[in-house]
Amino acid sequence: MISIRNLTARVGEFHLRNVSFDVPEGRYGVVIGPAGSGKTTLLEAIAGLTPILAGQVSLGKKDVTRYAPEDRGIGIVYQHGYLFPHLSVRENIDYGTGNGAPAAQEVSERLGIAALADRDVHSLSGGERQLVALARSLARRPPLLLLDEPFSALDPKRRTHARREVRALHREWGFTALQVTHDFTEAGLLGDVAILLDAGRVLQQGPPDEVFRRPATPYIAEFLGAENVLAGTVRVLADTGPDFVAVEEPLPAGALAPGYHALEFLSGPISIYTVGNAEPGSAYAVIRAEEIAVARTEPATSARNVFRGRIVELSTLGALGRVTLDIQGVQLVASLTARSVQELALAEGEDVWASFKAMAVHLC
């Protein structure tokens, strides 16, 4: 496992400050953050390559804070694919494993680079160099693998394949991994634990789905790509049937999920309904674009939130369409498949209906 407690480190004028998180043994952690947030510095502090000023680094059951890098049992892969220039591809991958180790041959085949074995590393493309560097670290079968944007130089097809094989090897061999990425899709596909890092501090951590769907602050929501972050005011309500009625007391037992209240969120002229635990007063509502359905006519739906609005912007990119609606002066963005946009014959300036469930609204 990886256990970091109050880690503080400095590189030039940049500081990591009081960073704490855990990645359980055999799990896959992902560190997400913008450029300059300290992601690589964090990996190097864990590996012992960057001195720490305070805090503790524990790997497995050992406090390795003062261990030399070579005594930590760590494999590390950088995004630039650093290789030994005087060794062939095969010799690079075999390095540190013993010549012809079975694991070296296995990872070469699984990453699709076995045919490169006799090549000079100077003849490799950037993506091939990255795969060789990844294979070299995996071939040693370290108990802990640190990955700094390990798929960034790969084309989409190779990236998908390499990502799948690394995740499969992780499950089969049971090592603990910590990967830096700025790719939210990658974080969701790979991670068991997500750590959001910004300006050298941890903003939020937890299972990726929880972090992405329940951001702790509006800033985090916008950073994670939530298209709809609305400011407004919360009122606690009771769910008595078709309409909500304001109440001062907690809901009767069994009215909703245990410990939850019905809530009305007022953003400008519209009311948005949700459920959860929140105090009355100012707050932000976060609604992910993929949670919003769009229809040409008023939908027959159990969704609590149904609005009529006008399409003010429509765009498609690949398989996805982005529909921006104006609802009484409030903008909502919905994400549909490009096929749905085509089948609905949507166009800018037209009136449509938008709907989303109360459980799709997160307050922060």
Side-chain angles (χ1 to χ4, degrees):
M1 68 172 291
I2 304 171
S3 181
I4 308 300
R5 289 292 175 270
N6 301 314
L7 187 149
T8 298
R10 177 177 177 177
V11 177
E13 296 301 313
F14 178 81
H15 279 83
L16 286 174
R17 299 182 186 275
N18 299 316
V19 172
S20 297
F21 64 86
D22 293 313
V23 179
E25 184 173 353
R27 299 294 184 176
Y28 204 116
V30 289
V31 180
I32 313 167
S37 62
K39 303 185 297 295
T40 298
T41 300
L42 174 60
L43 290 193
E44 291 184 335
I46 294 171
L49 301 173
T50 293
I52 69 171
L53 303 177
Q56 179 177 306
V57 177
S58 296
L59 305 177
K61 297 180 180 179
K62 293 182 180 179
D63 178 351
V64 301
T65 308
R66 304 302 169 198
Y67 281 34
E70 62 269 22
D71 296 329
R72 298 193 181 199
I74 289 174
I76 186 167
V77 180
Y78 286 98
Q79 60 179 306
H80 299 297
Y82 297 119
L83 301 175
F84 297 116
H86 62 292
L87 301 180
S88 69
V89 168
R90 177 184 287 108
E91 290 166 337
N92 263 277
I93 297 173
D94 283 347
Y95 186 84
T97 67
N99 189 33
Q105 183 63 27
E106 180 179 355
V107 295
S108 296
E109 292 174 354
R110 292 180 69 160
L111 293 178
I113 56 173
L116 305 178
D118 296 321
R119 292 265 297 273
D120 186 306
V121 297
H122 297 287
S123 69
L124 302 178
S125 68
E128 289 170 339
R129 292 176 65 87
Q130 200 163 36
L131 287 172
V132 173
L134 184 58
R136 181 179 59 193
S137 284
L138 284 166
R140 295 179 60 244
R141 298 193 64 164
L144 172 61
L145 187 61
L146 304 180
L147 303 164
D148 187 1
E149 301 278 8
F151 312 115
S152 61
L154 304 180
D155 60 69
K157 182 178 179 180
R158 279 189 167 179
R159 185 183 304 129
T160 299
H161 175 78
R163 193 163 55 197
R164 182 172 61 245
E165 289 301 326
V166 168
R167 191 61 161 113
L169 286 167
H170 167 261
R171 293 191 180 105
E172 293 167 22
W173 292 355
F175 58 85
T176 305
L178 184 64
Q179 177 182 328
V180 160
T181 184
H182 63 272
D183 186 324
F184 299 147
T185 300
E186 194 164 272
L189 289 172
L190 293 174
D192 300 307
V193 178
I195 301 107
L196 302 187
L197 193 69
D198 188 35
R201 298 179 182 274
V202 173
L203 300 182
Q204 190 173 346
Q205 58 183 299
D209 186 65
E210 177 72 12
V211 170
F212 278 90
R213 293 191 173 277
R214 304 187 67 81
T217 68
Y219 174 81
I220 294 173
E222 292 181 338
F223 167 69
L224 292 176
E227 297 85 348
N228 304 296
V229 182
L230 307 176
T233 305
V234 176
R235 287 199 304 153
V236 180
L237 308 173
D239 186 358
T240 59
D243 301 308
F244 283 108
V245 179
V247 294
E248 299 297 330
E249 310 84 21
L251 292 177
L256 284 169
Y260 276 66
H261 294 177
L263 303 168
E264 180 185 35
F265 180 82
L266 304 172
S267 181
I270 70 171
S271 294
I272 296 171
Y273 299 104
T274 183
V275 292
N277 293 314
E279 294 294 327
S282 298
Y284 288 83
V286 179
I287 309 128
R288 299 198 67 85
E290 62 268 24
E291 300 284 1
I292 300 177
V294 175
R296 300 284 293 182
T297 58
E298 185 172 5
T301 176
S302 62
R304 179 67 70 177
N305 299 288
V306 181
F307 302 100
R308 187 172 184 176
R310 177 160 296 178
I311 300 175
V312 294
E313 186 177 348
L314 180 62
S315 62
T316 57
L317 179 63
L320 293 178
R322 174 187 170 95
V323 183
T324 303
L325 306 172
D326 182 281
I327 301 170
Q328 300 179 52
V330 177
Q331 284 200 345
L332 286 180
V333 178
S335 179
L336 285 68
T337 65
R339 181 175 180 178
S340 294
V341 172
Q342 186 177 32
E343 290 177 347
L344 290 168
L346 300 179
E348 292 181 4
E350 294 187 337
D351 288 342
V352 293
W353 292 84
S355 62
F356 50 93
K357 294 183 179 295
M359 290 297 291
V361 183
H362 169 63
L363 296 179
C364 58

